[in-house]
Amino acid sequence: ALRRCGEPGGEVQVDDRDLEARDVSALIDVLASDPRIAQESPGDPRIGMSGGSYAGGIQFVSAAQDTRIDAIAPEIAWNDLLEALIPEGVVKMGWGLLLYGGGMTSLTNGVLPPEGPAGTQLGSYSPELHRALAEGAATGTFSEQSREFFEQKGPDHLLHRIQAPTFI
């Protein structure tokens, strides 16, 4: 089942193979149960993924975890999340603040309750993301703890497992 990030207690992570890739697999399960979707075999719908930025990055992680994904076309994606966020040791605060703020206005902890198509959202970012933003803004870099958090995310150590045709 999906983690329901927008529900009370839900947490947004970053390109996590055990959480967000599992969410993608849960969506594929939904498609596999829909008789309108072409199937390669029972439970294996024909799946292609396309998208940029985060929608590009999650394709690598998802295709490495779920062999039912038949083709991916990531655009403007990364293969090393830590290097993408803190190239040459300096945090990319411009993009970081834009993405963090944009996400916070649509997925809040109840402090800033926006009304959108899904109603008021009550989830939050993981505490590690809050800490990394504060560190980056205050010091221009990440602590070893934040670096380790981001090193565990992203596709760089999973790329060898992708079997789907990949169009970059």
Side-chain angles (χ1 to χ4, degrees):
L2 292 172
R3 292 177 299 120
R4 311 272 187 221
C5 291
E7 292 183 2
E11 271 188 9
V12 173
Q13 294 288 321
V14 178
D15 217 12
D16 189 295
R17 65 180 169 199
D18 297 324
L19 299 172
E20 283 132 342
R22 189 181 70 207
D23 291 345
V24 171
S25 290
L27 291 171
I28 293 171
D29 291 342
V30 170
L31 293 173
S33 68
D34 188 329
R36 299 171 297 174
I37 304 298
Q39 304 274 325
E40 299 208 14
S41 63
D44 185 3
R46 263 198 202 138
I47 298 293
M49 296 177 73
S50 177
S53 191
Y54 194 88
I58 195 64
Q59 291 176 56
F60 289 122
V61 174
S62 298
Q65 297 290 100
D66 194 327
T67 58
R68 297 176 297 173
I69 298 171
D70 299 302
I72 60 175
E75 304 166 33
I76 322 168
W78 54 84
N79 65 348
D80 182 325
L81 184 57
L82 186 60
E83 180 63 25
L85 296 172
I86 185 168
E88 299 182 33
V90 179
V91 175
K92 290 166 89 173
M93 282 309 299
W95 279 110
L97 286 171
L98 178 66
L99 295 171
Y100 183 92
M104 190 55 74
T105 61
S106 63
L107 178 62
T108 69
N109 60 10
V111 177
L112 303 169
E115 290 297 329
T120 301
Q121 303 294 296
L122 301 172
S124 184
Y125 291 123
S126 72
E128 292 87 355
L129 294 175
H130 292 303
R131 179 180 44 250
L133 178 76
E135 290 170 356
T139 68
T141 192
F142 289 150
S143 66
E144 189 59 36
Q145 184 178 8
S146 290
R147 285 175 183 267
E148 288 174 8
F149 171 77
F150 288 116
E151 284 174 349
Q152 295 172 16
K153 312 293 181 182
D156 52 327
H157 32 284
L158 301 173
L159 294 174
H160 68 281
R161 293 174 50 184
I162 297 173
Q163 297 178 19
T166 303
F167 307 98
I168 300 175

